[in-house]
Amino acid sequence: MSEEKKNALKSIVFYLIAILIIVAINISGKFKSGPCTPNLDVLSMFTVFILNVVLLIVNFIKAFIMKRKNRLSVVVHLVVLLILIILSNFKII
């Protein structure tokens, strides 16, 4: 397996683990937010969104400025970012 595919696979595994953690937090019911107090369910989504943007920028710089093999990782991060934006606009998450 090439280095580029390994990097993309690491990104996919990261997002799968993050989604599982967010689902576990939301299902447990212990960390639900109130009307005036955001709790761990909201914080987890903001954290994943911020990490996504940071990883997208870092991998973009590595792929296109430093000429490393990270183009597939950039695509993975971009797709996840678009999915997060679409899901948050429809209030699914």
Side-chain angles (χ1 to χ4, degrees):
M1 185 181 293
S2 70
E3 181 182 349
E4 188 171 10
K5 289 181 182 178
K6 285 181 184 178
N7 289 337
L9 187 61
K10 287 178 188 177
S11 299
I12 292 170
V13 169
F14 166 74
Y15 287 116
L16 288 176
I17 291 171
I19 288 170
L20 289 175
I21 291 171
I22 290 171
V23 167
I25 288 171
N26 287 332
I27 288 176
S28 73
K30 295 180 182 178
F31 307 106
K32 289 292 182 186
S33 298
C36 298
T37 56
N39 210 340
L40 197 54
D41 56 346
V42 175
L43 182 63
S44 63
M45 282 307 302
F46 283 133
T47 303
V48 169
F49 181 76
I50 291 170
L51 281 174
N52 182 333
V53 172
V54 168
L55 289 172
L56 178 64
I57 292 169
V58 167
N59 281 315
F60 185 83
I61 290 170
K62 284 182 180 179
F64 297 106
I65 295 175
M66 297 173 68
K67 303 294 184 198
R68 290 192 185 166
K69 295 182 178 180
N70 284 5
R71 290 191 175 126
L72 286 177
S73 291
V74 171
V75 171
V76 168
H77 295 303
L78 189 61
V79 167
V80 170
L81 180 64
L82 291 174
I83 290 171
L84 286 174
I85 290 172
I86 290 169
L87 291 178
S88 65
N89 281 341
F90 290 117
K91 301 197 189 306
I92 295 173
I93 53 172

